[in-house]
Amino acid sequence: MRYEYTIGLRYLLSKRSAREPSVIALLTVAGIALAVAVHIVVLAIMGGFEADLREKILGTRAHVLVTGPQHGVLVEPERALEVLDAARDVTGAAPFIESEVMIASPTNYSGMVMRGIDRDRALVASRLADYVVEGDLAWLDEPWRALGFVQPDGFPAPSSRTDNRMANDELEELSRQAAALEAELAELRRAVRELDGELDGELDGEPGEEPGAAPTVTGAAAGSRWDDDEDDDDYWDRSDDPVLMPGLPLPGGGGDGGEDIHDDGDAFGMPALPEPGATAQPGRGQTPRHGVFIGRELQRTLSVLVGDTVNLIVPDGDLGPTGLMPRSRPFLVVGVFYTGYFEYDNAMGMVSLNAARALLDWPHDEVSGIEIRTRSINHADEAAGRIEAQLTAAGVTDVEVRDWRVLNRSLFAALQLEKVAVGAVIGIMIVVSCLLVLIVIFMIVIEKRREIAVLKAIGASRTTIARIFLTQGVVMGGVGSAVGLVLGMGIVAYLVYVGYPLPPEVYYIDRVPVEVHAIEVVSVVLIALTSSIAMTVIPAWLAAREDPVSGLRED
């Protein structure tokens, strides 16, 4: 070892004349280690959340999407599918139809993004099968098979089914109580009208009126509902008005003036909600012809179970006497999926491709697009370029090919910006810790002026003097970075193998996700080490320029 390195270490670790700089040096090393460890852990956690979100998005979506020009309808998808099935980068391709609809259960309405899929192809082009928690995707075209969905022991498959059944029973009981209260209210109203008539009959002596006759009412009071000949309940009943939208039907009762759910939806006004318990058995001609898969959160919103009937409603329906009327079709809930991504679980439903075409009245040669699964998610952009070239060579030109990064550009750009911002803020901690290196080296230079003068007097060059103090900066930065690396990776290993629990009802995950990128870890360590050495250059340069005569004169 060169003697300047030995002198630098002795200056840094001296216990006699430089006790204060040694203590500050230890604190400096601890500060650099803590900053490096925090930086590594934060980047790993943010990378884990990003990876978790990416996994949830791409679980039901494909890596590459092929649509018509300007995100429009794709015409004649069979030509594109032939090319995609033969492409080397493609592991699965599936056409789909996507549209916003309204879904109505016996107790609630909700908006939904309906996605018509080709089941066999969709299972290859996406991971939808991994997220099925109830039912079976094969039941989309055979909905009557969902009517007997129970476990072998006779209990409902998920625990939520029992809870939902209890909620429906409570709703029915409340509805019966409400009906009884309405009946009592109607009796009270009739009693009030009879009493009012008796009081009017006792009034006599008015000019031009016979004793006991009801008084003549004019003006605004003439329109009072107390003098209406209609029954009061009939007065407020406007369910037969085709202009008004009917209210929600009471569980166990019929629709509020709407059509039957098994009609073709050509009646006037908003179609009625399906009645609870109205699902028919196979063979009676009342079971809906198509099934629908819904997300877990949407199931809770609608309070439905596998085997219940819902209505899917589209606004641009059939033409009626009062204009364009919504089109409604009954669907049987044949399954529930859970992706862990709230936006999907709360507002997405899957139907078969033919059912979507029938509901939206689309021709058979049009789809919203084709979703493609590639061999590598990280090289999906390169695969998209090659797929577009192959489609163009095959004569399929009126298409747009976009990978998942382009489709979710704003979301992942925001995540990346947040990651860079947080990393920059935490990086300031490293810079501040490295400033302590500057202070420590300055203190050592001031205290060792006599030794520096002696070294120069015996022939030490400026480069030798500079190396003495640069060695100290390299040692403090290197030790701090190494300790921070070990500490940070230790915390990351703990989060991976042991985990830190999170409330799943808030974060949709049960533990903190972690994903470590080697390039990020190496960058943090290099930044800490480079900053430490950079902070040493100034005091080392000043020490090298120290005049030996002035240093000896002061002593």
Side-chain angles (χ1 to χ4, degrees):
M1 179 184 293
R2 300 173 65 97
Y3 75 91
E4 55 262 39
Y5 301 147
T6 303
I7 294 174
L9 292 177
R10 287 178 63 88
Y11 283 173
L12 186 63
L13 303 176
S14 175
K15 296 183 179 179
R16 293 183 179 179
S17 61
R19 183 177 302 276
E20 290 79 8
S22 298
V23 173
I24 298 177
L26 292 177
L27 295 178
T28 301
V29 171
I32 295 175
L34 182 61
V36 170
V38 170
H39 207 163
I40 292 175
V41 172
V42 169
L43 290 179
I45 291 176
M46 295 192 68
F49 276 105
E50 181 180 355
D52 181 73
L53 181 61
R54 181 175 63 247
E55 182 71 16
K56 290 176 179 178
I57 290 178
L58 297 179
T60 55
R61 302 280 182 162
H63 301 168
V64 178
L65 186 65
V66 178
T67 61
Q70 302 297 324
H71 310 277
V73 175
L74 181 63
V75 183
E76 296 182 358
E78 290 78 10
R79 297 173 53 196
L81 286 173
E82 293 177 359
V83 178
L84 296 175
D85 290 340
R88 183 175 58 88
D89 297 309
V90 178
T91 59
F96 69 93
I97 293 177
E98 191 169 271
S99 178
E100 294 183 357
V101 300
M102 177 179 288
I103 182 170
S105 73
T107 58
N108 207 353
Y109 288 98
S110 179
M112 186 185 78
V113 178
M114 181 188 68
R115 192 173 179 88
I117 60 173
D118 185 333
R119 185 186 65 88
D120 296 333
R121 285 185 170 271
L123 291 177
V124 181
S126 66
R127 297 177 52 196
L128 182 59
D130 298 337
Y131 300 117
V132 174
V133 295
E134 297 181 38
D136 193 333
L137 288 171
W139 298 348
L140 288 175
D141 295 317
E142 301 175 346
W144 58 87
R145 297 175 59 185
L147 297 177
F149 177 70
V150 291
Q151 290 182 348
D153 56 3
F155 291 96
S159 59
S160 60
R161 288 174 59 90
T162 304
D163 298 337
N164 288 338
R165 287 299 185 190
M166 293 175 62
N168 286 341
D169 294 341
E170 294 177 358
L171 274 176
E172 293 179 2
E173 179 63 26
L174 290 175
S175 300
R176 285 191 291 267
Q177 295 177 5
L181 290 176
E182 288 182 358
E184 295 179 2
L185 182 59
E187 291 293 335
L188 290 175
R189 287 173 177 171
R190 282 193 288 270
V192 169
R193 284 197 295 270
E194 293 176 359
L195 181 59
D196 186 47
E198 294 177 359
L199 292 176
D200 290 340
E202 295 177 358
L203 296 177
D204 55 0
E206 296 292 337
E209 294 182 356
E210 297 181 0
T216 303
V217 182
T218 58
S224 173
R225 63 186 182 95
W226 297 107
D227 299 304
D228 201 327
D229 293 335
E230 295 179 310
D231 182 74
D232 191 64
D233 294 335
D234 296 335
Y235 178 84
W236 293 106
D237 186 10
R238 292 295 182 267
S239 59
D240 56 347
D241 190 345
V243 179
L244 297 179
M245 179 176 176
L248 295 175
L250 297 175
D256 193 8
E259 60 169 341
D260 183 74
I261 62 171
H262 305 292
D263 204 310
D264 292 334
D266 296 328
F268 308 142
M270 179 66 71
L273 295 175
E275 300 179 8
T279 304
Q281 299 297 327
R284 297 187 180 182
Q286 296 181 1
T287 303
R289 298 172 55 188
H290 301 289
V292 58
F293 248 82
I294 60 176
R296 171 67 77 191
E297 297 297 330
L298 184 58
Q299 180 197 24
R300 294 174 180 173
T301 300
L302 299 175
S303 297
V304 294
L305 308 172
V306 175
D308 290 344
T309 301
V310 295
N311 275 359
L312 296 190
I313 307 166
V314 293
D316 51 344
D318 305 317
L319 186 63
T322 59
L324 198 63
M325 306 303 298
R327 182 189 301 114
S328 172
R329 294 293 184 272
F331 281 74
L332 199 69
V333 179
V334 297
V336 178
F337 63 87
Y338 178 78
T339 65
Y341 187 42
F342 182 81
E343 298 298 329
Y344 288 172
D345 296 336
N346 188 56
M348 179 173 286
M350 306 287 183
V351 300
S352 65
L353 200 62
N354 292 331
R357 284 197 178 103
L359 180 63
L360 300 175
D361 196 20
W362 276 31
H364 288 276
D365 60 344
E366 291 183 1
V367 294
S368 298
I370 299 176
E371 53 183 2
I372 302 170
R373 191 170 188 84
T374 60
R375 298 185 182 277
S376 174
I377 182 176
N378 296 322
H379 299 88
D381 52 346
E382 302 173 3
R386 291 191 291 266
I387 290 172
E388 186 173 10
Q390 293 174 0
L391 290 173
T392 303
V396 184
T397 56
D398 295 335
V399 295
E400 287 186 359
V401 182
R402 293 163 294 164
D403 65 287
W404 63 271
R405 290 187 179 89
V406 177
L407 294 172
N408 303 277
R409 179 182 302 168
S410 58
L411 175 60
F412 287 102
L415 291 175
Q416 187 65 27
L417 179 61
E418 182 182 4
K419 190 174 183 179
V420 171
V422 173
V425 171
I426 299 179
I428 296 176
M429 295 175 56
I430 299 178
V431 177
V432 172
S433 300
C434 292
L435 285 175
L436 296 176
V437 176
L438 179 66
I439 298 174
V440 172
I441 303 300
F442 261 124
M443 294 178 63
I444 295 177
V445 169
I446 294 172
E447 185 177 355
K448 302 297 182 181
R449 293 185 65 184
R450 185 181 62 177
E451 286 82 352
I452 295 172
V454 171
L455 288 172
K456 282 193 171 185
I458 64 176
S461 64
R462 290 185 175 182
T463 304
T464 301
I465 300 300
R467 286 176 180 170
I468 292 174
F469 297 99
L470 285 174
T471 300
Q472 299 175 15
V474 172
V475 169
M476 286 190 289
V479 173
S481 300
V483 174
L485 175 62
V486 174
L487 180 61
M489 295 305 297
I491 296 175
V492 170
Y494 174 84
L495 294 176
V496 171
Y497 295 104
V498 179
Y500 184 82
L502 292 175
E505 64 275 4
V506 177
Y507 297 97
Y508 254 60
I509 49 178
D510 57 354
R511 56 192 295 174
V512 174
V514 176
E515 184 175 83
V516 180
H517 298 281
I519 186 64
E520 294 177 351
V521 175
V522 173
S523 299
V524 171
V525 174
L526 289 179
I527 290 174
L529 188 60
T530 304
S531 300
S532 301
I533 297 174
M535 293 298 177
T536 313
V537 172
I538 297 177
W541 178 73
L542 293 176
R545 291 176 59 87
E546 185 71 29
D547 186 9
V549 176
S550 62
L552 293 174
R553 183 187 304 118
E554 293 178 1
D555 286 335

